[in-house]
Amino acid sequence: MNRRLFKEAWIELTLEMNGKDVNLSKFGDVVRIWQIHQNRFRSEEFVEIIERFDIIQPVVWVLEHLYRSLNTNIVSALGLEGRVTEEWLSSAGSNNGKVRQWQATMRERLFCKDRYQLFSS
């Protein structure tokens, strides 16, 4: 749905680049794409494609955070509930190639001025 949103929100390096981390505008893009193309996305073919290309986790990461932040129903509309763990939802790729955890909701992350403080050491 929005590969850029996931990439720029999940990879810690983007926190260093002003304006590259997750923001409300990027989530808004996903909502607009959903509104325009939801009939296509609701097909079994869409879910089969994201499973075949093994991108279910990044897609659900975006959609689950969108649901929790803006109360959308896209995850359930696509039948993707429970496809990722809470640990995965609070994960990010660190600059050294490992996975790190961040402590907050996406809503809190969107409003936080110093997002590095959200990451556990």
Side-chain angles (χ1 to χ4, degrees):
M1 293 202 125
N2 191 331
R3 182 181 67 91
R4 193 175 107 204
L5 187 155
F6 174 76
K7 178 183 167 193
E8 293 176 359
W10 200 79
I11 298 174
E12 181 186 11
L13 179 64
T14 59
L15 289 173
E16 297 173 2
M17 297 182 270
N18 189 20
K20 291 292 185 184
D21 187 32
V22 63
N23 61 47
L24 200 52
S25 175
K26 292 173 186 172
F27 278 115
D29 290 343
V30 175
V31 171
R32 283 186 287 284
I33 291 167
W34 172 257
Q35 288 173 334
I36 294 168
H37 300 288
Q38 66 180 292
N39 288 336
R40 276 191 196 157
F41 293 134
R42 288 179 189 261
S43 72
E44 289 180 20
E45 181 182 15
F46 176 72
V47 174
E48 288 172 6
I49 289 170
I50 62 176
E51 287 174 337
R52 183 175 345 124
F53 288 99
D54 197 27
I55 57 172
I56 195 89
Q57 287 185 310
V59 169
V60 175
W61 190 96
V62 169
L63 297 178
E64 185 65 33
H65 283 301
L66 183 62
Y67 164 69
R68 293 177 184 194
S69 300
L70 301 175
N71 201 29
T72 64
N73 69 342
I74 302 171
V75 172
S76 62
L78 296 175
L80 297 174
E81 302 99 327
R83 298 295 294 263
V84 298
T85 64
E86 288 298 319
E87 182 177 67
W88 170 253
L89 288 172
S90 64
S91 68
S94 73
N95 297 337
N96 64 7
K98 296 184 179 180
V99 175
R100 290 188 63 192
Q101 298 301 122
W102 51 281
Q103 309 298 315
T105 66
M106 182 57 73
R107 185 178 293 251
E108 291 167 327
R109 184 171 169 180
L110 289 168
F111 289 103
C112 185
K113 298 291 185 206
D114 179 11
R115 295 182 179 175
Y116 275 112
Q117 72 183 0
L118 301 177
F119 286 87
S120 56
S121 45

